[in-house]
Amino acid sequence: MHVPDGFIDAPTSAVTAVAAAGALAVSLRGARRELDERTAPLAGLVAAFIFAVQMLNFPVAAGTSGHLLGGALAAILVGPCTGVLCVSVVLLMQGILFADGGLTALGVNITDMAIVTTLVAYAVFRGLVKVLPRGRRSVTGAAFVAALLSVPAAAVAFTLLYAVGGTTDVAIGKVAGAMIGVHVLIGVGEAAITALTVGAVIAVRPDLVYGARGLRQGLRLRVNGELVDAPEPTAPVAARTSRRALWISGLATSLVLAGFVSHYASASPDGLERVAHDHGIDAQTREHASAGSPLADYGVEDVSDARLSGGLAGVIGVGTTVVAGSAVFWAVRRRRTGTPSGVR
């Protein structure tokens, strides 16, 4: 769903960029509350993992593929405000280094892929965990549904933006039907990836999953005929793996996915590309400003072997994203710890 330059007109893109900048400013403030010494390192890793998995297009229909958007996954793992920042970092790296998603359309892409998916997913997730039985399975199930709904929500958001500022004369009903239809299918893949990833992290470090905080059902005892809360255990439950081990294994997984597995991803156009081609939305597409980048189109310039070129580009992308993301989130964390308690 990376919108290229030329799909949306300049005035609409400019207004969307301003709105996205405002949302990012709010997210930066919110992330200060969400990030702590446990989750700050994880946030940079989440951004790198999303970058890696977005390289793994999976087939969803004849001649059409899809890939992870990542808003639901980021929101559940590290919080909605931090999640918006995670996906935004990914989009920025993709636009500047890999010519993926227009630079003039960056505000559109952040609004659509970072803000809408994250907020819709987290709202659905929180609503579900409030009514489901408390437990890890409920968190994983809620993550599945939240991710599933977040993708067609992004498709609706794009359709609304196209209705306001589309550069081609295509009936909005056709755009809506095609976009929502194909992205419901892509949402199934998004949901499966999100649920599996959240479930894997919960299995080893449930304390690091933002969306699982406060879900442990406290023990209640009957004393003199009345139910009272049992005291918390004095010794903390030992984690199955350390934060460092989780971070290293997560980074290694991201590098393998981007550097090796991505070679076997579907080469079919993704949902937006297919709809744009079939309905003429792409008639005004302009060449990307970073088309001359040595990493454009996820390949390394002057490396003739396609598998090696794509693998190197993926590894570089993961490394760049984890460094950029970690720098952002450590800076946010430091501002939180450096702020006097009475000023927060």
Side-chain angles (χ1 to χ4, degrees), residues 150-302:
S150 70
V151 179
V156 171
F158 170 81
T159 302
L160 294 175
L161 289 172
Y162 182 81
V164 174
T167 56
T168 54
D169 187 16
V170 180
I172 195 62
K174 292 183 178 179
V175 176
M179 284 293 293
I180 296 171
V182 72
H183 284 92
V184 167
L185 298 177
I186 294 173
V188 176
E190 177 100 13
I193 295 170
T194 300
L196 287 172
T197 305
V198 170
V201 178
I202 286 180
V204 294
R205 287 300 298 261
D207 58 308
L208 296 182
V209 178
Y210 184 89
R213 294 181 179 180
L215 291 181
R216 185 162 60 91
Q217 183 70 51
L219 177 64
R220 308 198 76 192
L221 303 176
R222 186 173 296 277
V223 179
N224 298 327
E226 295 183 2
L227 287 175
V228 298
D229 293 331
E232 293 289 334
T234 56
V237 179
R240 296 188 182 181
T241 187
S242 67
R243 292 200 303 268
R244 176 177 294 181
L246 178 65
W247 196 92
I248 293 173
S249 61
L251 180 60
T253 301
S254 301
L255 291 171
V256 170
L257 291 175
F260 176 72
V261 181
S262 61
H263 178 74
Y264 301 96
S266 173
S268 299
D270 66 23
L272 176 58
E273 290 175 318
R274 171 58 67 183
V275 172
H277 175 75
D278 290 348
H279 296 277
I281 296 174
D282 57 358
Q284 300 297 323
T285 304
R286 301 193 304 273
E287 184 180 26
H288 200 286
S290 298
S293 167
L295 297 172
D297 298 323
Y298 297 93
V300 178
E301 189 177 24
D302 297 329

